[in-house]
Amino acid sequence: MNLQLEPFFDLSMDCLCIANYEGYFAKINPAFVELLGYSEEELSSKPISEFIYDKDRERTAAYRKNLTNNVPLVNFENRYVCKSGELVWLHWTSIPVENEQLIYAIAKDVTHKKELENERIGHLGQLYEVNKKLKQLNYATSHDLRSPVNNLISMVDLIDLSKIEDEETREILHFIRLSAEGLKTSLNSSVDALKQKDISNEKLEEISFNAILRKVQNSISTLIRKAGAEFQVDFLGLESIPFNAAYMESIFLNLITNSIKYARPDVLPVISIITDQKNGEKTFTYSDNGLGFDMEKVGHLIFNLNQKFHGNEDSKGVGLYLVYNHVTSLGGSISVDSAVNKGTTFTIKFKA
């Protein structure tokens, strides 16, 4: 070896080696010796294949054959057995020099990376099982709740309104039935959605923004009336979109109820909803005049699970998390712009 390169070879923290075409180490640097635990003499006295983990030998031999045919090897990983019996993962870059009948190689120890990867896969497996159980629980809950809701509707229907003279009481019963019908519809939609194995693969339907809005408004009509909420709606730019109907209902429901829940105490809530389509980009812009957020402090947390920003006891920290997941799971994106006591604007861009 060139004497000028000797310090580089000896001091490198990566594993460097030179192997001959017969399959033996011709030279190996101290980092490689330290990693494997064998002396340089031990490593040079046996074929390289004997140090390779037996399950990786056949695969390694096939790639080594390409090296001796003057084909460089990059991004190859295999396992070596240390003198202690421990396995280490090595990531190789090897260059053959045919006229010298030698192979110059660099190996990086990626054992820790492999362990993290296996741990990540294990966690993903656990999350998959947890998610599957949660889906089953959600399905059972949505399914089982339909019976008492149906009973509630039936009991309201049994009331003889002709015997009730008080107009306010009759109106309250009417709104109870509307709310129960809305809950029943939502539960049915949840059951239908949960039956799908993979929401990203389910068939989308052309949904009308106006129809979904009216449906949601009817389901929470009492809440809207008590809050004195005003709606400014313009769907002329984009009247419909291929989407999941249950998801769009949830988006409207969570955004509207948040606007009412977090309205400024001295100002009636004003909700603006505008859709548009320009240059192939389909957008949905939702704004209110509520409490808003301090974007510098909490902007990065708004769509996270279990985040609460206004100390409202009724807040569960779930609504905006659901909105974000409904949009992104179908290939869209959502952004937020807000300021304290100046309201909030959510901009949804649908998948093209």
PDB file of all heavy atoms in Angstrom, residues 13-30:
ATOM      1  N   MET A  13     -12.290   5.459  11.060  1.00  0.00           N
ATOM      2  CA  MET A  13     -13.247   4.845  11.986  1.00  0.00           C
ATOM      3  C   MET A  13     -14.183   3.880  11.278  1.00  0.00           C
ATOM      4  O   MET A  13     -14.844   3.058  11.904  1.00  0.00           O
ATOM      5  CB  MET A  13     -14.060   5.937  12.686  1.00  0.00           C
ATOM      6  CG  MET A  13     -13.201   6.867  13.538  1.00  0.00           C
ATOM      7  SD  MET A  13     -14.152   8.127  14.408  1.00  0.00           S
ATOM      8  CE  MET A  13     -15.025   7.129  15.603  1.00  0.00           C
ATOM      9  N   ASP A  14     -14.242   3.983   9.939  1.00  0.00           N
ATOM     10  CA  ASP A  14     -14.977   2.982   9.162  1.00  0.00           C
ATOM     11  C   ASP A  14     -14.106   1.751   8.982  1.00  0.00           C
ATOM     12  O   ASP A  14     -12.884   1.807   9.122  1.00  0.00           O
ATOM     13  CB  ASP A  14     -15.359   3.545   7.784  1.00  0.00           C
ATOM     14  CG  ASP A  14     -16.461   4.578   7.871  1.00  0.00           C
ATOM     15  OD1 ASP A  14     -17.332   4.449   8.755  1.00  0.00           O
ATOM     16  OD2 ASP A  14     -16.457   5.524   7.052  1.00  0.00           O
ATOM     17  N   CYS A  15     -14.760   0.639   8.670  1.00  0.00           N
ATOM     18  CA  CYS A  15     -14.024  -0.612   8.471  1.00  0.00           C
ATOM     19  C   CYS A  15     -13.523  -0.674   7.030  1.00  0.00           C
ATOM     20  O   CYS A  15     -14.331  -0.696   6.094  1.00  0.00           O
ATOM     21  CB  CYS A  15     -14.927  -1.807   8.761  1.00  0.00           C
ATOM     22  SG  CYS A  15     -15.547  -1.849  10.459  1.00  0.00           S
ATOM     23  N   LEU A  16     -12.202  -0.664   6.863  1.00  0.00           N
ATOM     24  CA  LEU A  16     -11.592  -0.735   5.533  1.00  0.00           C
ATOM     25  C   LEU A  16     -10.862  -2.056   5.377  1.00  0.00           C
ATOM     26  O   LEU A  16     -10.251  -2.559   6.323  1.00  0.00           O
ATOM     27  CB  LEU A  16     -10.607   0.420   5.334  1.00  0.00           C
ATOM     28  CG  LEU A  16     -11.134   1.840   5.605  1.00  0.00           C
ATOM     29  CD1 LEU A  16     -10.011   2.853   5.383  1.00  0.00           C
ATOM     30  CD2 LEU A  16     -12.326   2.146   4.722  1.00  0.00           C
ATOM     31  N   CYS A  17     -10.953  -2.596   4.179  1.00  0.00           N
ATOM     32  CA  CYS A  17     -10.219  -3.846   3.946  1.00  0.00           C
ATOM     33  C   CYS A  17      -9.883  -3.991   2.470  1.00  0.00           C
ATOM     34  O   CYS A  17     -10.488  -3.353   1.607  1.00  0.00           O
ATOM     35  CB  CYS A  17     -11.020  -5.051   4.425  1.00  0.00           C
ATOM     36  SG  CYS A  17     -12.532  -5.346   3.497  1.00  0.00           S
ATOM     37  N   ILE A  18      -8.905  -4.847   2.217  1.00  0.00           N
ATOM     38  CA  ILE A  18      -8.543  -5.243   0.857  1.00  0.00           C
ATOM     39  C   ILE A  18      -8.608  -6.753   0.821  1.00  0.00           C
ATOM     40  O   ILE A  18      -8.045  -7.447   1.685  1.00  0.00           O
ATOM     41  CB  ILE A  18      -7.130  -4.764   0.480  1.00  0.00           C
ATOM     42  CG1 ILE A  18      -7.029  -3.238   0.626  1.00  0.00           C
ATOM     43  CG2 ILE A  18      -6.764  -5.180  -0.936  1.00  0.00           C
ATOM     44  CD1 ILE A  18      -5.600  -2.715   0.502  1.00  0.00           C
ATOM     45  N   ALA A  19      -9.361  -7.292  -0.139  1.00  0.00           N
ATOM     46  CA  ALA A  19      -9.504  -8.748  -0.271  1.00  0.00           C
ATOM     47  C   ALA A  19      -8.999  -9.176  -1.641  1.00  0.00           C
ATOM     48  O   ALA A  19      -9.055  -8.417  -2.604  1.00  0.00           O
ATOM     49  CB  ALA A  19     -10.962  -9.151  -0.106  1.00  0.00           C
ATOM     50  N   ASN A  20      -8.478 -10.404  -1.737  1.00  0.00           N
ATOM     51  CA  ASN A  20      -8.043 -10.902  -3.042  1.00  0.00           C
ATOM     52  C   ASN A  20      -9.166 -11.695  -3.703  1.00  0.00           C
ATOM     53  O   ASN A  20     -10.192 -11.984  -3.087  1.00  0.00           O
ATOM     54  CB  ASN A  20      -6.760 -11.740  -2.921  1.00  0.00           C
ATOM     55  CG  ASN A  20      -6.933 -12.903  -1.959  1.00  0.00           C
ATOM     56  OD1 ASN A  20      -7.990 -13.548  -1.908  1.00  0.00           O
ATOM     57  ND2 ASN A  20      -5.887 -13.184  -1.176  1.00  0.00           N
ATOM     58  N   TYR A  21      -8.962 -12.033  -4.966  1.00  0.00           N
ATOM     59  CA  TYR A  21      -9.997 -12.722  -5.726  1.00  0.00           C
ATOM     60  C   TYR A  21     -10.209 -14.159  -5.235  1.00  0.00           C
ATOM     61  O   TYR A  21     -11.205 -14.788  -5.598  1.00  0.00           O
ATOM     62  CB  TYR A  21      -9.651 -12.714  -7.218  1.00  0.00           C
ATOM     63  CG  TYR A  21     -10.092 -11.456  -7.953  1.00  0.00           C
ATOM     64  CD1 TYR A  21     -10.162 -10.221  -7.294  1.00  0.00           C
ATOM     65  CD2 TYR A  21     -10.435 -11.496  -9.298  1.00  0.00           C
ATOM     66  CE1 TYR A  21     -10.563  -9.082  -7.963  1.00  0.00           C
ATOM     67  CE2 TYR A  21     -10.840 -10.352  -9.983  1.00  0.00           C
ATOM     68  CZ  TYR A  21     -10.899  -9.148  -9.314  1.00  0.00           C
ATOM     69  OH  TYR A  21     -11.296  -8.008  -9.974  1.00  0.00           O
ATOM     70  N   GLU A  22      -9.288 -14.673  -4.449  1.00  0.00           N
ATOM     71  CA  GLU A  22      -9.437 -16.028  -3.910  1.00  0.00           C
ATOM     72  C   GLU A  22     -10.362 -16.064  -2.692  1.00  0.00           C
ATOM     73  O   GLU A  22     -10.690 -17.143  -2.185  1.00  0.00           O
ATOM     74  CB  GLU A  22      -8.068 -16.600  -3.518  1.00  0.00           C
ATOM     75  CG  GLU A  22      -7.204 -17.025  -4.698  1.00  0.00           C
ATOM     76  CD  GLU A  22      -6.658 -15.809  -5.444  1.00  0.00           C
ATOM     77  OE1 GLU A  22      -6.224 -14.845  -4.774  1.00  0.00           O
ATOM     78  OE2 GLU A  22      -6.695 -15.834  -6.687  1.00  0.00           O
ATOM     79  N   GLY A  23     -10.755 -14.895  -2.201  1.00  0.00           N
ATOM     80  CA  GLY A  23     -11.708 -14.865  -1.096  1.00  0.00           C
ATOM     81  C   GLY A  23     -11.086 -14.734   0.272  1.00  0.00           C
ATOM     82  O   GLY A  23     -11.721 -15.100   1.282  1.00  0.00           O
ATOM     83  N   TYR A  24      -9.868 -14.177   0.360  1.00  0.00           N
ATOM     84  CA  TYR A  24      -9.195 -13.955   1.644  1.00  0.00           C
ATOM     85  C   TYR A  24      -8.926 -12.464   1.823  1.00  0.00           C
ATOM     86  O   TYR A  24      -8.760 -11.716   0.853  1.00  0.00           O
ATOM     87  CB  TYR A  24      -7.855 -14.706   1.686  1.00  0.00           C
ATOM     88  CG  TYR A  24      -7.981 -16.199   1.849  1.00  0.00           C
ATOM     89  CD1 TYR A  24      -8.240 -17.019   0.749  1.00  0.00           C
ATOM     90  CD2 TYR A  24      -7.822 -16.804   3.106  1.00  0.00           C
ATOM     91  CE1 TYR A  24      -8.348 -18.399   0.886  1.00  0.00           C
ATOM     92  CE2 TYR A  24      -7.922 -18.196   3.253  1.00  0.00           C
ATOM     93  CZ  TYR A  24      -8.185 -18.972   2.140  1.00  0.00           C
ATOM     94  OH  TYR A  24      -8.296 -20.348   2.284  1.00  0.00           O
ATOM     95  N   PHE A  25      -8.871 -12.051   3.100  1.00  0.00           N
ATOM     96  CA  PHE A  25      -8.456 -10.683   3.399  1.00  0.00           C
ATOM     97  C   PHE A  25      -6.970 -10.554   3.124  1.00  0.00           C
ATOM     98  O   PHE A  25      -6.159 -11.345   3.628  1.00  0.00           O
ATOM     99  CB  PHE A  25      -8.722 -10.338   4.860  1.00  0.00           C
ATOM    100  CG  PHE A  25     -10.177 -10.105   5.194  1.00  0.00           C
ATOM    101  CD1 PHE A  25     -10.825 -10.916   6.109  1.00  0.00           C
ATOM    102  CD2 PHE A  25     -10.882  -9.057   4.607  1.00  0.00           C
ATOM    103  CE1 PHE A  25     -12.158 -10.701   6.433  1.00  0.00           C
ATOM    104  CE2 PHE A  25     -12.212  -8.835   4.921  1.00  0.00           C
ATOM    105  CZ  PHE A  25     -12.865  -9.658   5.831  1.00  0.00           C
ATOM    106  N   ALA A  26      -6.578  -9.536   2.344  1.00  0.00           N
ATOM    107  CA  ALA A  26      -5.163  -9.246   2.123  1.00  0.00           C
ATOM    108  C   ALA A  26      -4.677  -8.213   3.134  1.00  0.00           C
ATOM    109  O   ALA A  26      -3.524  -8.237   3.562  1.00  0.00           O
ATOM    110  CB  ALA A  26      -4.936  -8.734   0.705  1.00  0.00           C
ATOM    111  N   LYS A  27      -5.584  -7.307   3.520  1.00  0.00           N
ATOM    112  CA  LYS A  27      -5.243  -6.305   4.535  1.00  0.00           C
ATOM    113  C   LYS A  27      -6.546  -5.824   5.161  1.00  0.00           C
ATOM    114  O   LYS A  27      -7.576  -5.710   4.491  1.00  0.00           O
ATOM    115  CB  LYS A  27      -4.473  -5.137   3.920  1.00  0.00           C
ATOM    116  CG  LYS A  27      -3.926  -4.176   4.964  1.00  0.00           C
ATOM    117  CD  LYS A  27      -2.949  -3.211   4.335  1.00  0.00           C
ATOM    118  CE  LYS A  27      -2.360  -2.252   5.368  1.00  0.00           C
ATOM    119  NZ  LYS A  27      -1.588  -2.937   6.426  1.00  0.00           N
ATOM    120  N   ILE A  28      -6.469  -5.538   6.448  1.00  0.00           N
ATOM    121  CA  ILE A  28      -7.672  -5.105   7.168  1.00  0.00           C
ATOM    122  C   ILE A  28      -7.260  -4.043   8.179  1.00  0.00           C
ATOM    123  O   ILE A  28      -6.201  -4.144   8.806  1.00  0.00           O
ATOM    124  CB  ILE A  28      -8.355  -6.323   7.843  1.00  0.00           C
ATOM    125  CG1 ILE A  28      -9.732  -5.958   8.375  1.00  0.00           C
ATOM    126  CG2 ILE A  28      -7.497  -6.940   8.911  1.00  0.00           C
ATOM    127  CD1 ILE A  28     -10.589  -7.179   8.687  1.00  0.00           C
ATOM    128  N   ASN A  29      -8.050  -2.997   8.324  1.00  0.00           N
ATOM    129  CA  ASN A  29      -7.628  -1.896   9.183  1.00  0.00           C
ATOM    130  C   ASN A  29      -7.994  -2.133  10.653  1.00  0.00           C
ATOM    131  O   ASN A  29      -8.820  -3.006  10.972  1.00  0.00           O
ATOM    132  CB  ASN A  29      -8.173  -0.559   8.666  1.00  0.00           C
ATOM    133  CG  ASN A  29      -9.644  -0.339   9.005  1.00  0.00           C
ATOM    134  OD1 ASN A  29     -10.391  -1.285   9.158  1.00  0.00           O
ATOM    135  ND2 ASN A  29     -10.041   0.928   9.094  1.00  0.00           N
ATOM    136  N   PRO A  30      -7.416  -1.379  11.577  1.00  0.00           N
ATOM    137  CA  PRO A  30      -7.650  -1.589  13.013  1.00  0.00           C
ATOM    138  C   PRO A  30      -9.125  -1.479  13.415  1.00  0.00           C
ATOM    139  O   PRO A  30      -9.570  -2.188  14.326  1.00  0.00           O
ATOM    140  CB  PRO A  30      -6.807  -0.490  13.670  1.00  0.00           C
ATOM    141  CG  PRO A  30      -5.712  -0.222  12.693  1.00  0.00           C
ATOM    142  CD  PRO A  30      -6.334  -0.391  11.344  1.00  0.00           C
TER     143      PRO A  30
END
